[in-house]
Amino acid sequence: MKTQLYKEQLKDNVVSAMLDYMSKYEDCGYSKKDVQKCEGLLLDYLDKLSDITNSNDELIMEQVKNVVIALNKLNEETDYSLIETDAREKIWQIIQDSAVERGLSAVIEDVTEEWREW
């Protein structure tokens, strides 16, 4: 799995954009700590996907569900200001692409949709 590539995409496309926005708008509704939590949740998700030895849809979707629910909670804690449209699209794509690459065979249009609130 191209774990390092997804980690780089996370840092370059999601984290940097959140931090950049935060630097421009002090009252954006979230802090650097919130961005770090978001990054940590997604890094943990990617590591857990990589650690799956007997890849199957159930194990992969369990990890997808766990990260989406954790991101929902974090976004709620920031009054839904952390994960905006641009971040949502980039995060969804990283979760989707990494799940498919890891072996998700029952590919649906959006693997996060069932649980996603952001």
Side-chain angles (χ1 to χ4, degrees):
M1 192 172 121
K2 302 176 205 169
T3 305
Q4 192 57 40
L5 173 66
Y6 295 118
K7 289 180 178 183
E8 289 171 15
Q9 289 176 351
L10 172 61
K11 183 175 180 147
D12 295 343
N13 300 330
V14 178
V15 174
S16 64
M18 288 176 168
L19 293 174
D20 185 52
Y21 185 82
M22 190 179 78
S23 71
K24 292 177 183 173
Y25 303 97
E26 291 179 21
D27 61 345
C28 67
Y30 60 86
S31 67
K32 186 174 183 178
K33 186 175 180 180
D34 296 319
V35 175
Q36 291 169 335
K37 285 181 186 177
C38 180
E39 180 181 25
L41 290 170
L42 288 160
L43 290 173
D44 187 53
Y45 160 77
L46 292 170
D47 288 340
K48 286 181 178 177
L49 272 189
S50 292
D51 291 344
I52 296 174
T53 53
N54 295 322
S55 181
N56 66 55
D57 287 359
E58 186 177 327
L59 291 173
I60 294 168
M61 289 305 293
E62 180 182 332
Q63 294 308 315
V64 169
K65 179 181 178 180
N66 290 343
V67 74
V68 170
I69 290 171
L71 289 168
N72 288 344
K73 183 178 177 189
L74 176 60
N75 200 42
E76 181 180 2
E77 290 170 3
T78 65
D79 291 325
Y80 304 96
S81 63
L82 180 64
I83 304 176
E84 295 289 336
T85 304
D86 289 343
R88 174 177 56 240
E89 294 302 314
K90 293 170 185 171
I91 291 170
W92 166 84
Q93 199 66 58
I94 290 169
I95 293 172
Q96 175 90 8
D97 291 350
S98 58
V100 169
E101 184 183 334
R102 188 63 188 108
L104 183 65
S105 61
V107 180
I108 52 178
E109 190 171 312
D110 179 351
V111 296
T112 68
E113 187 173 39
E114 183 176 347
W115 308 283
R116 182 167 43 105
E117 297 172 1
W118 33 271

